[in-house]
């Protein structure tokens, strides 16, 4: 897509390096991105190990008729990642390194938290950050995979929860 149409840009960052328990689902990221595609250009971020989840999101977006996105997973250097994130108008991410990059540039961010302690690892010093999480008895477990095998901390978070958070900006 080109910047000539002057739509703001949203970054979608589905990866999380600590383990699968920290990852929200590609179909939910795609639902959020599809809804936002009417008002935003979309960039999908991820490292080389996150190409699969990014490709899943890309496939789902194409199925939904969304075409104003670029999948950058595994295609950016650290410098390019920093440059791209710094220029975003909105960032949607799990608990991840790129979430902290967005914080350093005060990018409005919706951070999706499951098994980790948001009071310890959420964005530091970003007043434009909203955490979306469920307050379950089993949270935070701090495990790489769900010890209860239901993954409710992430599966119960719906696309509408993230969209509601975005509306509060």
């Amino acid at each position: 897509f080109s910047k000539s149409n002057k739509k703001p840009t949203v970054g979608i960052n589905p990866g999380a390096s600590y383990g699968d328990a920290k990852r929200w689902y590609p179909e939910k990221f795609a639902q959020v991105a599809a809804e936002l595609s009417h008002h935003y250009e979309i960039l999908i971020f991820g490292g080389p190990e996150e190409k699969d989840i990014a490709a899943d999101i890309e496939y789902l977006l194409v199925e939904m008729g969304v075409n104003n996105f670029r999948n950058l997973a595994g295609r950016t250097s650290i410098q390019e990642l920093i440059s791209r994130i710094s220029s975003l108008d909105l960032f949607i991410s799990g608990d991840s390194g790129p979430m902290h990059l967005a914080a350093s540039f005060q990018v409005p961010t919706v951070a999706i938290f499951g098994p980790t302690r948001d009071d310890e690892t959420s964005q530091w010093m970003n007043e434009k950050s909203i955490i979306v999480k469920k307050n379950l008895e089993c949270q935070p477990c701090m495990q790489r995979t769900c010890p209860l095998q239901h993954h409710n901390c992430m599966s119960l978070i719906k696309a509408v929860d993230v969209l509601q958070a975005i509306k509060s900006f």
Side-chain angles (χ1 to χ4, degrees), residues 71-144:
N71 181 353
L72 301 177
R75 297 186 180 113
T76 58
S77 66
I78 295 294
Q79 291 82 3
E80 290 168 324
L81 179 70
I82 292 167
S83 174
R84 295 270 189 181
I85 288 177
S86 71
S87 66
L88 291 173
D89 298 289
L90 176 64
F91 193 55
I92 302 167
S93 177
D95 178 12
S96 65
M99 175 194 74
H100 296 289
L101 274 178
S104 69
F105 292 105
Q106 298 291 302
V107 174
T109 301
V110 175
I112 302 159
F113 272 77
T116 53
R117 292 187 179 99
D118 62 283
D119 59 341
E120 288 181 8
T121 61
S122 63
Q123 290 189 48
W124 185 68
M125 301 292 283
N126 186 355
E127 293 174 15
K128 301 173 197 148
S129 173
I130 296 173
I131 293 169
V132 175
K133 68 174 185 168
K134 297 295 176 185
N135 292 302
L136 305 176
E137 224 173 78
C138 55
Q139 278 179 283
C141 70
M142 302 301 291
Q143 300 298 310
R144 291 179 189 268

Side-chain angles (χ1 to χ4, degrees), residues 16-23 115-116 140-148 151 153-154:
S17 60
Y18 179 74
D20 283 347
K22 282 175 64 172
R23 289 189 179 176
T116 53
C141 70
M142 302 301 291
Q143 300 298 310
R144 291 179 189 268
T145 57
C146 178
L148 302 176
H151 205 218
C153 63
M154 290 305 238

